[in-house]
Amino acid sequence: MRLLFKIFVAVAITFASLCAKAGVVVESSCDSVAIWIGEQTQIHISVACDAGQQISFPLFSDTIVDKLEIIPPILTDTQYIDHKKKMSVTRSYTVTAFDSAFFYIPPFEVDVDGKPYQADNGLSLVVYMFDVDTLHSDQFFGPKGIMEQPLQWQDVKSATFYLLIFAAVAVIAIFLFISWKNDKPIIRIIKVEPQKPAHEVALAEIERIRTEQLAHGEDSKRYYTELTDAIRQYMNGRFGFNATEMTSDEIISHLKEIDDKDSLSELNELFSTADLVKFAKMKPLLGENDRNLLTAIEFVKGTMNTEEPEKEPEEKEIVVEQKRSKEARAILLAGVILLAAASCFTLYMLLKEIYYLFF
């Protein structure tokens, strides 16, 4: 009975172990069965198990077996299947050999949740040597020397960019530093154009009103506003009183004190019509508009200064010297410091590019 019990326990343990291992599958493969010496191929270890299980692949230092070298990197790929209930993890090793030989790789052993699982198969790899013509040894040549690569634009583009930036920033920084150091005053040249006679300005404005046909337009208010403004500006320059701030009656009264002429009655009629148009919205006749335009022209020509100047006024230039303020000097100094820092940075980048280019 004891013997039967022991047999039963052993069978149960074996069955439980097989059931536990049934969910884990370890496979190994090699991309090539034969390679030339120095050629590379890949060896893969694949593990299929339940998702979430911990897998520990075998650890290799630099060879899988003696003289079969591993070339980094070692890649690991994980794929989930069956609605992420299962997963397949593959680790790939790139290997090569520099001796002709036949390599046998025993089955790999992988730990899953601390339990060992072994692949069902081992791998084999044959490494062939090239045929060497030993009869013509004079045709064997040593390694060639290093060829010097000619410089191209792509190689010097960055260095050229930093060189131009450094030159520009350095020039501006030097200029600002000299300006700050010398503290020379700011010299401004102001050109003063000669003032045209008042009657020329007035006649030119009246001529503009005439050429624009404002007298024959529908906007009578604009026409009389611009016409009377031209006459008021003329009076400001010709007679020296502020006609632009006076009423029409005040202008006529002031003109009578200066020069009593028959033309003032017509000018008074022009201002009266203008007031009625602007404030009472009167609609004047077209002939009346033309007559008032002629009245304005005759008034300007009749009252303009007939004394011709001895010579035409020349354009004047005024030179103004202004000393820089403390704030301006502080701004100059700050600009010099910032540009100096920028030039140092660009110089560092330039030297760095030159070092990488030639060393």
Side-chain angles (χ1 to χ4, degrees):
M1 289 296 291
R2 285 187 176 181
L3 179 62
L4 292 176
F5 179 75
K6 290 180 179 179
I7 294 173
F8 176 77
V9 171
V11 170
I13 293 173
T14 304
F15 180 75
S17 176
L18 291 175
C19 291
K21 293 186 177 181
V24 178
V25 178
V26 180
E27 296 179 348
S28 61
S29 62
C30 185
D31 289 348
S32 305
V33 295
I35 59 174
W36 293 105
I37 187 171
E39 193 178 3
Q40 299 177 3
T41 188
Q42 283 195 331
I43 293 176
H44 309 282
I45 305 175
S46 299
V47 179
C49 60
D50 294 334
Q53 289 186 294
Q54 299 296 323
I55 302 174
S56 298
F57 287 92
L59 298 177
F60 302 106
S61 56
D62 53 359
T63 59
I64 289 185
V65 293
D66 187 30
K67 296 184 179 180
L68 187 60
E69 300 181 8
I70 299 175
I71 300 176
I74 299 173
L75 304 178
T76 303
D77 178 53
T78 303
Q79 295 181 349
Y80 291 93
I81 55 179
D82 193 15
H83 303 288
K84 295 186 178 182
K85 295 179 180 179
K86 300 284 185 179
M87 66 178 180
S88 175
V89 183
T90 303
R91 178 160 291 186
S92 301
Y93 303 86
T94 302
V95 297
T96 188
F98 297 96
D99 286 328
S100 59
F102 173 81
F103 294 97
Y104 173 72
I105 305 171
F108 295 106
E109 188 175 275
V110 179
D111 289 345
V112 179
D113 287 343
K115 296 180 181 180
Y117 295 88
Q118 196 175 63
D120 295 335
N121 60 310
L123 301 175
S124 59
L125 179 65
V126 180
V127 179
Y128 292 107
M129 173 67 77
F130 292 101
D131 294 333
V132 179
D133 188 2
T134 57
L135 299 177
H136 300 86
S137 59
D138 58 334
Q139 295 184 0
F140 296 114
F141 303 98
K144 293 184 178 181
I146 300 175
M147 295 180 61
E148 292 186 1
Q149 182 79 10
L151 290 178
Q152 299 180 356
W153 168 245
Q154 295 295 333
D155 301 327
V156 299
K157 180 173 63 174
S158 299
T160 304
F161 171 76
Y162 286 118
L163 176 61
L164 295 176
I165 295 297
F166 170 74
V169 173
V171 168
I172 297 174
I174 293 172
F175 173 77
L176 293 181
F177 177 76
I178 293 174
S179 300
W180 173 81
K181 189 72 175 176
N182 293 340
D183 194 22
K184 291 182 178 180
I186 302 173
I187 299 176
R188 298 179 181 176
I189 299 177
I190 302 174
K191 294 184 178 180
V192 181
E193 295 183 357
Q195 187 176 2
K196 293 182 179 180
H199 65 272
E200 290 185 8
V201 177
L203 292 175
E205 179 66 13
I206 295 173
E207 178 64 19
R208 181 192 66 80
I209 296 171
R210 187 190 67 79
T211 54
E212 291 183 3
Q213 298 291 324
L214 296 181
H216 299 161
E218 296 182 357
D219 194 354
S220 300
K221 182 178 180 179
R222 177 190 170 191
Y223 166 69
Y224 278 100
T225 299
E226 295 186 6
L227 184 61
T228 53
D229 286 346
I231 297 174
R232 290 172 185 269
Q233 292 294 338
Y234 166 71
M235 293 177 184
N236 289 350
R238 174 65 182 86
F239 300 109
F241 63 88
N242 192 5
T244 54
E245 301 296 332
M246 294 182 178
T247 63
S248 301
D249 294 337
E250 290 174 345
I251 293 174
I252 298 300
S253 300
H254 205 81
L255 288 175
K256 286 181 179 179
E257 295 177 1
I258 297 174
D259 193 359
D260 187 11
K261 287 188 175 182
D262 297 335
S263 60
L264 293 182
S265 60
E266 296 180 356
L267 184 65
N268 187 20
E269 183 179 350
L270 187 155
F271 277 112
S272 299
T273 304
D275 291 340
L276 290 174
V277 170
K278 290 189 290 184
F279 303 112
K281 298 183 180 180
M282 185 189 78
K283 296 291 184 181
L285 300 176
L286 293 179
E288 190 174 3
N289 292 345
D290 292 334
R291 185 177 69 252
N292 288 327
L293 184 69
L294 293 175
T295 299
I297 296 174
E298 291 175 357
F299 173 76
V300 173
K301 290 183 176 180
T303 57
M304 68 181 184
N305 190 0
T306 57
E307 295 180 1
E308 297 182 358
E310 295 180 359
K311 59 179 181 179
E312 295 183 357
E314 298 180 354
E315 185 181 85
K316 296 180 181 180
E317 290 186 355
I318 301 176
V319 179
V320 179
E321 293 187 2
Q322 183 179 359
K323 192 174 183 179
R324 288 192 178 94
S325 62
K326 292 182 179 180
E327 291 79 6
R329 284 179 55 80
I331 293 173
L332 275 177
L333 183 59
V336 170
I337 295 173
L338 289 176
L339 290 175
S343 62
C344 290
F345 174 75
T346 52
L347 178 61
Y348 165 75
M349 297 300 297
L350 174 62
L351 295 177
K352 185 178 178 181
E353 291 292 332
I354 294 175
Y355 177 81
Y356 288 151
L357 194 60
F358 295 102
F359 299 100

